[in-house]
């Protein structure tokens, strides 16, 4: 991989941000507020996929009006919990090492742009990324690769010369669809079958990317 990677697009949750619990709880609250049983294990299992797909996998068929209401309640809940968002201990160092090596980076968020910026700002890393793409800025969400394509476009890097660094199977699948290198961060050591590389820490993943 040495020398090939000119840009990185992050799926931020579970990689840069210690935030998956916040998302899980926000979906649970939003679903239960609208009369649906929320199975936490299912939410975690499908975390990373586009919200309409996640909701239908977790709660079954939902009409569009109720789905929109659940998504709105979810966003409100995430924003209410934004002060709980933290960067992982190795996130700032990893972003600095990318910048020092001349590798641009973008964030492809599962949230709308405003919420994504709030979360990154709270975590203290908003100014460390070159571009942010919100889920409200693309037509299709993961596992469709649109948001990653847009991330690479905004940092001026061909996906074939870039890496997607994410946490879920859906991030790895998206990367493969656009011929980007797929790197997954699993701090618990679990495998993701579609990823080309899996690391337990972001520090180790970035060290591999910037290695001479």
């Amino acid at each position: 991989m040495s020398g090939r990677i000119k840009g990185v697009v992050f799926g931020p949750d579970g990689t840069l941000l210690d935030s998956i619990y916040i998302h899980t709880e926000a979906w649970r609250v939003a679903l239960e507020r609208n009369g649906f049983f929320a199975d936490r294990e299912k939410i975690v299992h499908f975390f990373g996929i586009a919200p309409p797909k996640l909701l239908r996998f977790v709660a079954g068929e939902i009409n569009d009006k109720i789905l929109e209401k659940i998504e709105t309640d979810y966003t409100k809940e995430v924003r209410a919990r934004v002060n709980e968002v933290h960067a992982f201990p190795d996130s700032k160092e990893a972003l600095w090492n990318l910048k020092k090596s001349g590798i641009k980076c973008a964030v492809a968020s599962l949230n709308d742009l405003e919420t994504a910026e709030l979360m990154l700002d709270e975590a203290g890393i908003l100014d460390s990324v070159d571009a942010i793409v919100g889920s409200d800025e693309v037509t299709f969400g993961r596992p469709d690769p649109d948001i990653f394509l847009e991330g690479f476009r905004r940092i001026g890097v061909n996906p074939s010369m870039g890496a997607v660094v994410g946490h879920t199977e859906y991030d790895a699948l998206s990367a493969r669809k656009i011929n980007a290198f797929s790197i997954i961060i699993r701090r618990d050591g679990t495998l993701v079958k579609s990823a080309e590389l899996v690391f337990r820490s972001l520090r180790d993943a970035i060290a591999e990317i910037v290695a001479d």
Side-chain angles (χ1 to χ4, degrees):
M1 189 185 356
S2 178
R4 169 191 164 184
I5 304 303
K6 306 301 181 187
V8 174
V9 180
F10 289 95
D13 304 294
T15 58
L16 296 169
L17 302 178
D18 188 1
S19 53
I20 291 176
Y21 174 78
I22 294 167
H23 289 289
T24 303
E25 280 299 291
W27 280 125
R28 182 190 65 78
V29 170
L31 281 160
E32 292 184 355
R33 189 175 292 159
N34 288 276
F36 293 90
F37 171 71
D39 185 323
R40 283 188 181 89
E41 288 187 9
K42 268 192 173 182
I43 295 171
V44 171
H45 180 74
F46 290 110
F47 180 78
I49 202 168
K53 294 176 182 177
L54 180 147
L55 289 173
R56 290 190 166 111
F57 282 136
V58 171
E61 284 304 312
I62 305 174
N63 70 51
D64 290 345
K65 186 176 181 181
I66 295 174
L67 189 147
E68 186 176 339
K69 173 68 163 53
I70 295 171
E71 285 195 59
T72 298
D73 287 347
Y74 156 76
T75 297
K76 289 178 180 176
E77 191 65 22
V78 171
R79 290 185 183 184
R81 292 171 171 265
V82 75
N83 64 324
E84 299 174 34
V85 176
H86 302 287
F88 283 107
D90 55 358
S91 296
K92 291 181 181 180
E93 175 192 346
L95 291 169
W96 168 246
N97 284 336
L98 287 175
K99 184 175 183 178
K100 187 170 62 173
S101 300
I103 298 172
K104 292 197 170 185
C105 66
V107 164
S109 179
L110 287 165
N111 297 100
D112 63 275
L113 180 61
E114 183 178 351
T115 304
E117 289 177 340
L118 286 171
M119 295 177 78
L120 292 167
D121 190 37
E122 180 66 28
I125 57 174
L126 178 61
D127 294 335
S128 299
V129 299
D130 298 298
I132 306 166
V133 187
S135 60
D136 56 329
E137 297 185 283
V138 295
T139 303
F140 301 106
R142 298 166 177 82
D144 293 288
D146 292 20
I147 197 163
F148 291 107
L149 280 171
E150 180 60 17
F152 283 118
R153 188 191 71 78
R154 291 187 186 186
I155 59 175
V157 172
N158 188 304
S160 65
M161 299 294 290
V164 167
V165 178
H167 176 73
T168 73
E169 185 76 29
Y170 309 112
D171 297 319
L173 288 169
S174 294
R176 285 182 172 273
K177 289 177 181 178
I178 58 175
N179 198 31
F181 202 84
S182 58
I183 297 174
I184 295 298
I185 310 301
R186 283 289 180 148
R187 296 172 192 271
D188 61 359
T190 56
L191 296 177
V192 174
K193 63 182 180 181
S194 298
E196 290 172 277
L197 289 175
V198 178
F199 291 92
R200 291 182 69 105
S201 76
L202 185 58
R203 179 182 290 110
D204 291 343
I206 300 307
E208 178 70 18
I209 289 172
V210 303
D212 293 327

